[in-house]
Amino acid sequence: FEYGKACEALYHFAWDDVCDWYLELAKSALDGPDGDTTRQVLGWVLDRLLRLLHPVVPFVTEELWTALTGGETVVTAPWPEQAAALRDLAAEAEVSSLMRLVTEVRRFRSDQGLRPGQMVPAALAGIGDTPLAAHEHAIRVLLRLAPPGEGFSATASVQAEGVTVDLDTAGSIDVDAERRRVEKDLAAARQEAQRAQAKLTSESFLTRAPADVVAKTRDRLQAAHEDIARLATRLESLGQERG
């Protein structure tokens, strides 16, 4: 009867797994040789997702489900059952690896001040020796990476999941504007570290605050220190670029 937890699980599955990752991956495959299979799987997933969401989002799911399936009403549609035979652990591990690579490179792009939709020439060294070789097109689409052209020269690189992503960011960054942004983020990270440190050195806070609150404050302090180190390194590299 913990409906809140059930709704939270459904929300994160629908928003994070399906929308953020699966739909974006499906887009890159729809026009490929496996486009028909992708459409069938996408329809199957959306059909069952709408059934699962219907008890908590009744009206929009009714409209979407009837339009998608042509059925009379989702209210009488059978409740989805777990199909253990459909689970592919190897495929899950492969996609998880892809997600980690994309997340790492996206974070690096953000740190470099590159806009999310900005195309950047890149070479994916070593990908042929990993299970991600079959997903190179999808990785490039998700990360907005153009193939390396004539005169390609890597100015930065990221290593993750056995792949080295070499990027040519020359001419893609306004160094002065990026320096101002990093300085602002660095100041915010230092303020966060100071606030967390002040709490953790307060005897009153340590004795009165619940253990989970103290633990979260320690986590915030550690995250702030990591951000400070990362941003300071980035600021130093920007100084070298401007010089």
Side-chain angles (χ1 to χ4, degrees), residues 3 6-7 10 52-59 61:
Y3 300 116
C7 291
L10 283 170
L52 290 170
L53 290 172
H54 184 67
V56 291
V57 194
F59 300 107
T61 49

Side-chain angles (χ1 to χ4, degrees), residues 91-103:
E92 287 184 28
E94 201 169 293
V95 173
S96 294
S97 177
L98 180 152
M99 292 167 69
R100 288 191 294 270
L101 172 64
V102 169
T103 299

Side-chain angles (χ1 to χ4, degrees), residues 134-224:
H135 305 289
E136 180 172 353
H137 175 68
I139 291 169
R140 288 187 175 276
V141 170
L142 289 172
L143 290 171
R144 304 295 190 269
L145 300 179
E150 186 177 350
F152 172 82
S153 178
T155 58
S157 64
V158 188
Q159 293 183 339
E161 302 300 309
V163 180
T164 300
V165 181
D166 295 315
L167 303 101
D168 183 357
T169 61
S172 301
I173 301 173
D174 182 332
V175 176
D176 289 334
E178 177 61 9
R179 184 177 182 84
R180 289 192 296 270
R181 184 189 71 82
V182 174
E183 287 174 342
K184 181 179 178 181
D185 290 346
L186 181 57
R190 284 171 173 162
Q191 289 179 356
E192 175 66 15
Q194 289 173 359
R195 286 193 293 266
Q197 186 66 50
K199 287 186 175 182
L200 292 171
T201 54
S202 168
E203 191 65 29
S204 175
F205 173 77
L206 294 175
T207 55
R208 295 182 181 180
D212 63 324
V213 173
V214 175
K216 287 180 180 178
T217 303
R218 288 197 176 100
D219 290 342
R220 283 170 45 202
L221 179 61
Q222 180 180 350

Side-chain angles (χ1 to χ4, degrees), residues 34-89:
D34 296 325
D36 289 339
T37 300
T38 300
R39 287 182 181 85
Q40 292 175 16
V41 176
L42 181 58
W44 188 90
V45 169
L46 293 178
D47 168 24
R48 282 149 183 80
L49 175 61
L50 291 170
R51 297 191 211 184
L52 290 170
L53 290 172
H54 184 67
V56 291
V57 194
F59 300 107
V60 68
T61 49
E62 175 74 3
E63 290 292 328
L64 291 173
W65 189 85
T66 54
L68 175 70
T69 67
E72 183 177 350
T73 175
V74 70
V75 175
T76 57
W79 187 253
E81 296 182 359
Q82 184 177 3
L86 295 178
R87 186 166 189 184
D88 187 333
L89 296 179

